Amino acid sequence: MSVIEYPMKSYIETERLYLRQWQASDFVVFAAMNADPEVMKYFPKLLSATVSDIIANKCQQLIEENGWGFWALSLKEGSDNNDAFIGFVGLNQTHAEMSFAPCIEIAWRLRKEFWGQGYATEAAHACLDFAFTELALDEVVAFTAVINQRSQLLMARIGMTDTQDNFYHPALESNHPLAEHVLYKITRQQWQSV
């Protein structure tokens, strides 16, 4: 699968959120988030500011080139944190080493003070809408470590189903506690009937 090109859209708007291009001011907040042990609990390690900036730059570049990707997430007006970066939600091509590649995944990571308020669910619904209506994808996948129940609950809330086809992440040793992953997916037909 080649990268799907889409004419640049400046942002996606939901009831409470903007999914937008990354700004320079997001980087330091993103780095702090990636150094937070609670946020990174189901990732192999905390990220240095340098590595975090590389990831943010890559997210920014892919949105610039393709018109979609892992969008920076910010609150709309009426909030004390207006336009503050609260994390990212978006779409990405999966790693080529994944057994189910090529495909498009949906993923998210939010600052912990914004957990439990439905922001990730709201933004993920908008991403699926974009994936199926604008990009005309046939399906979208999501995956996480087997022990990450919080993300699996969100996957179910947005209409995804567990494929029961667990796999070991190629970037981790098979005996690593986070190595075994669940694979969820949703098809366009399933999304239309939700």
Side-chain angles (χ1 to χ4, degrees):
M1 176 188 298
S2 59
V3 174
I4 298 167
E5 293 189 14
Y6 180 78
M8 184 63 193
K9 181 176 181 177
S10 57
Y11 63 89
I12 296 174
E13 184 177 352
T14 70
E15 183 181 347
R16 301 180 294 167
L17 305 165
Y18 289 122
L19 287 72
R20 57 167 175 76
Q21 178 58 289
W22 292 67
Q23 303 169 357
S25 59
D26 300 333
F27 284 45
V28 66
V29 184
F30 186 54
M33 187 177 87
N34 290 327
D36 183 325
E38 203 169 346
V39 172
M40 301 299 286
K41 181 176 181 178
Y42 299 110
F43 291 88
K45 61 183 177 182
L46 301 179
L47 302 182
S48 68
T50 302
V51 171
S52 181
D53 286 353
I54 290 169
I55 293 169
N57 271 310
K58 183 68 173 174
C59 291
Q60 191 176 51
Q61 176 188 349
L62 287 172
I63 293 170
E64 184 67 33
E65 291 173 1
N66 304 323
W68 58 277
F70 287 148
W71 287 284
L73 192 61
S74 62
L75 301 177
K76 288 169 69 171
E77 290 182 34
S79 163
D80 293 338
N81 295 299
N82 183 30
D83 203 37
F85 176 85
I86 68 168
F88 74 78
V89 178
L91 305 166
N92 186 51
Q93 287 198 289
T94 56
H95 302 286
E97 305 84 33
M98 300 287 194
S99 60
F100 46 89
C103 57
I104 302 294
E105 67 166 313
I106 185 171
W108 45 80
R109 190 180 312 164
L110 270 63
R111 294 165 49 195
K112 67 184 174 197
E113 58 266 39
F114 296 98
W115 291 359
Q117 299 173 60
Y119 293 132
T121 302
E122 185 176 325
H125 276 298
C127 288
L128 289 178
D129 182 65
F130 183 89
F132 293 122
T133 61
E134 302 294 334
L135 298 180
L137 298 178
D138 292 325
E139 72 176 24
V140 174
V141 303
F143 49 87
T144 190
V146 168
I147 59 175
N148 187 352
Q149 293 296 312
R150 185 183 206 82
S151 271
Q152 290 177 57
L153 288 171
L154 185 103
M155 292 170 192
R157 271 197 304 276
I158 62 174
M160 303 187 91
T161 55
D162 188 345
T163 65
Q164 303 295 315
D165 191 16
N166 290 9
F167 67 97
Y168 286 86
H169 198 290
L172 298 172
E173 295 292 330
S174 61
N175 62 349
H176 191 285
L178 299 174
E180 188 179 0
H181 275 52
V182 292
L183 176 66
Y184 278 66
K185 77 173 183 176
I186 184 170
T187 65
R188 186 189 307 149
Q189 185 177 8
Q190 288 170 323
W191 172 78
Q192 289 169 336
S193 64
V194 172

